Amino acid sequence: MATIHVDGKSYEVNGSENLLQACLSLGIDIPYFCWHPSLGSVGSCRQCAVTQYANPEDTRGRLVMSCMTPASDNTYISIEDKEAKDFRASVVEFLMTNHPHDCPVCEEGGHCHLQDMTVMTQHDRRRYRFTKRTHYNQELGSFIAHEMNRCIACYRCVRYYTDYAGGTDFGVYANASRVYFGRPESGTLESEFSGNLTEVCPTGVFTDKTHSARYNRKWDMQYAPSVCQGCSSGCNISPGERYGELRRVENRFNGDVNQYFLCDKGRFGTGYVNREDRPRQPQQRVAEQLQNISVDEALDSLISKLKTKKVLGIGSPRASLESNFALRQLVGPEAYSTGMSQKEQSLVELVASIMQSEGLYNPSMREIESYDAVLILGEDLTQTAPRMALSVRQAAKNKAKQMAADRRTPDWLAEPVKRIGQDAKSPIYIIASTETRLADVASGEVVASPHDIARLGFAIAAAVAGEPIVGLEDDAKAYAQDIAATLKAAKKPLVISGTSLQDAAIIEAAAQVAQNLGETAGISLTVPEVNSMGLALFGGQSLEQAFAQDYDAIIVVENDLYRRLPAAQIDAALAKAEQVIVLDHSLTDTVAKADVVLSAASFAEGDGTVVSQEGRAQRFYQVYDPSYYHPDYAIKESWRWLHALETGLAGKAISWTLLDDVIEEVARNVPQLEAIQDVAPDAGYRVHGLKIAREPRRYSGRTAMRAPISIHEPKQPVDVDSALTFSMEGYVGPQKASSLVPFAWAPGWNSPQAWNKYQDNVGGHLKGGDAGIRLFDLLAKRPARSYVAPATARQNPETFRLVPQYHIFASGEFTVKTPAMQTRIPTPVFKLGAQDAERLNLQDGQHITVHAGDVAIQLPVEIVEYFPTGYIGYPMGQAPVVSLAEPVSVAVGASS
């Protein structure tokens, strides 16, 4: 700690920080542009100037940039000194000379850090009367709009995109007042994290193009704290709604998980919520057509049809814990399925078991950034857990930071650390089934078959333990020994793996490596979906086990079964049922087979709890009530529909009227999930007697919203399930614990930089603790176990095996339903190694037909030089579900 003196007052601060960060953490405002908590200091904008004095007697002082000055003990500064204030005012005026006067039409208006800082420096007059510099804008793809004339040359964008996110197609060009930030030429930004430019940029140079199509100001949106549904990482988001549409998704700060950044899948992949073809009312099949019916009709009809029937319940890893529990209560534990295939469920349960093993530690996403050696086994993280890939990219910089620390250079001095480190990187080894987007930071990347990945992983584990390596070629042995030596020499080694290649041996190899490394090591294992880990702890039968039972009716909750098992299996399972009831928020192949459809709420229209791959239970909250805008809509959380059916069949009164009621039941009946009661405050939570407002203070236009229905404005919907209110009449502000804050705003801070006001320390964690509870930290540990390496496999050279290949936008169930994603989804292809292509006499782009069981899939071939021989890369999510365990045959050209 250090004592600093600011304008005559003394404060205790973290002495390792710079003065700007220390003052902001104290709640003292200093204007700034180029500095960002995750990007460090470069001192390029000169906006954060303060006067520093040598001692209390010094009356002259000198101007220093607070972002470049350490908060060392007995530092004396003045923010209010006239010279410092005049200097900051002159800097803003200079930066604004070429900035257009377009706040009324700029999409960043009311959300703009530049506006906040000009007000903070009292710059309210423009004296510049000459011709402004102008630029041509670029077309940057379907996510980001570009308006270079608004640029103030803070360099944040290029520092984020190239230095932080590792992008290679974006840079800074020209010089002086003509400096230009963009691509070498117009074209789609290639980085999977490009959307963060909209929040990193302090002006309106980069804006959200998906929001532009249905634009409104920030203060006219309604928000709620939420969790991204795109993968299992558990990133926190702030979805914004207007007129019953999800208009924009912004990053919601969580110091343990995503911090300031999201991937583009999470930011732009929610357009499916607004689709016209989704079920918004109960539907019943009449003469092969699904027709809308009322809620009472639907429930009465189902209750009469299901009485005395044996009902099978199919849950889902994309549905909340509450909805899965309600389904289990309805059908009974013996008739409940998790909705996962046997293969997927066994893998996820294996991951959950490993995470509970004695001696193994699974770090948070933020902690991953602190590890100084990383081994990635079998995962293409950018495609399967993109935000984790961004964390691994930061871990690669730890060697440069250590080199700088050895020279007494703090790690927040971005440019000196970069110069000291040059090309030095912490060791990152990747062993995957394809070349990955992290190859540029990897010390070594090996492309191998899943079987060989597992064997190499066990070889590394043996080398770590000092045991002999058997069954590998000499070069593979040497490589395994090199990796093992590097991991053992590291202060904090990390092993990352997951379920994407559907091979348990790979996960077990990762566990064995981490176990052999000892207590300094960490292990992080990814799982497929937002609540896969929650269902692993919840328990239940696999789909195959459930379908083997006798049943008269089947209820499917938020699950497209045709994405789980081959179509023939699903067709047969559904044909066994007299009634197929589906609850979902989207039109799926399973919904199309339903006799009755109950319109379930999406994450934006309902509340629920999910568990991330880290074991972090988190809650998402309803952003808006669809029936406020459309009284004919009957969209309800799945647990509400299911509880109504359960009580109706039992002839009981409805007992779950609040979300808290269901959570209490889950905690009582599922010991592993008992702690979910403490994930977030209950519905009775108040701040100064007020619920927390979903709407900013300036929210407007309610009457106009409902004018086509009635000119009389009704009472706002009442939210009985949470401590949030559908109104601006509630608590808004950074004074209290921040785990329920729906949006970033504080007095004088309208931009995303307002998150600084909600943190215990700028760039640290939210006041009162980050959202969520790590369940694995609370559960009893299981004894450590040893794992056995797979035997050498022999393969028929005339057949191939399929190996899953993922794409961040193409493999997701709902990204493909989002309009903004269409241009980012590649054409599905089979990947084939150069040796196999030569053997089959194939050229790039030529079609082949793969016969997998009874299914024939014809796609073009992409020939990849480094791809395992005897394997075909299968585009997950873009081709029919087939068994990956069985060999397949290949025919060149069209299928017969």
Side-chain angles (χ1 to χ4, degrees), residues 99-100 102 106 133-138 140 144-151 180-181 201 203-207:
H99 193 83
D102 67 345
C106 175
R133 167 220 66 205
T134 56
H135 288 294
Y136 288 106
N137 302 321
Q138 291 184 323
L140 298 178
I144 304 292
H146 190 227
E147 177 51 79
M148 255 307 294
N149 293 323
R150 298 172 184 151
C151 182
Y180 191 93
F181 297 88
C201 177
T203 73
V205 177
F206 302 100
T207 53

Side-chain angles (χ1 to χ4, degrees), residues 72 79 90 123 203 220 307 327 344 490 669 748-749 775 822 890:
S72 49
I79 300 169
S90 68
H123 175 69
T203 73
D220 276 337
K307 274 186 177 175
L327 177 63
E344 181 180 345
N669 289 279
W749 296 78
L775 299 180
Q822 300 308 308
V890 173

Side-chain angles (χ1 to χ4, degrees), residues 638-667:
S638 293
W639 63 263
R640 289 192 190 275
W641 286 115
L642 295 165
H643 183 61
L645 286 176
E646 181 204 350
T647 53
L649 287 167
K652 302 184 300 184
I654 286 178
S655 57
W656 296 349
T657 56
L658 307 177
L659 178 69
D660 289 340
D661 297 335
V662 200
I663 293 169
E664 187 178 324
E665 285 294 306
V666 175

Side-chain angles (χ1 to χ4, degrees), residues 396-609:
K397 300 171 184 174
N398 286 328
K399 184 172 183 180
K401 290 179 181 178
Q402 184 58 53
M403 293 168 66
D406 293 342
R407 292 162 176 78
R408 297 191 174 184
T409 302
D411 60 8
W412 47 262
L413 281 171
E415 287 304 310
V417 170
K418 197 174 173 183
R419 286 197 299 271
I420 291 168
Q422 295 292 319
D423 294 326
K425 294 182 178 67
S426 295
I428 294 175
Y429 293 96
I430 303 171
I431 307 171
S433 66
T434 187
E435 295 173 89
T436 74
R437 299 277 280 179
L438 287 173
D440 60 310
V441 295
S443 305
E445 183 177 66
V446 170
V447 175
S449 70
H451 182 76
D452 288 341
I453 292 170
R455 293 178 65 228
L456 189 53
F458 275 106
I460 294 167
V464 167
E467 299 168 357
I469 298 173
V470 295
L472 290 185
E473 301 290 336
D474 289 344
D475 56 345
K477 282 184 186 178
Y479 191 61
Q481 288 165 342
D482 286 346
I483 295 174
T486 302
L487 294 174
K488 287 174 70 176
K491 295 178 183 176
K492 285 183 69 176
L494 173 67
V495 184
I496 296 175
S497 189
T499 63
S500 69
L501 293 185
Q502 301 184 20
D503 192 321
I506 295 175
I507 301 170
E508 291 175 345
Q512 193 67 65
V513 173
Q515 204 164 278
N516 290 356
L517 284 168
E519 60 183 18
T520 61
I523 181 169
S524 188
L525 302 173
T526 69
V527 292
E529 297 186 64
V530 62
N531 203 21
S532 294
M533 190 63 79
L535 288 201
L537 296 173
F538 185 70
Q541 302 176 75
S542 69
L543 281 175
E544 290 92 331
Q545 290 171 324
F547 290 154
Q549 298 181 22
D550 292 326
Y551 50 89
D552 303 312
I554 185 169
I555 298 178
V556 182
V557 176
E558 299 179 46
N559 199 338
D560 185 3
L561 302 181
Y562 288 91
R563 293 180 63 89
R564 305 285 176 187
L565 291 174
Q569 269 182 272
I570 301 304
D571 287 340
L574 297 182
K576 284 173 60 178
E578 299 170 15
Q579 287 289 316
V580 176
I581 300 111
V582 179
L583 292 77
D584 216 328
H585 51 70
S586 293
L587 181 61
T588 67
D589 290 343
T590 306
V591 167
K593 296 279 188 176
D595 296 304
V596 178
V597 177
L598 299 180
S599 41
S602 69
F603 76 95
E605 299 147 336
D607 312 281
T609 309

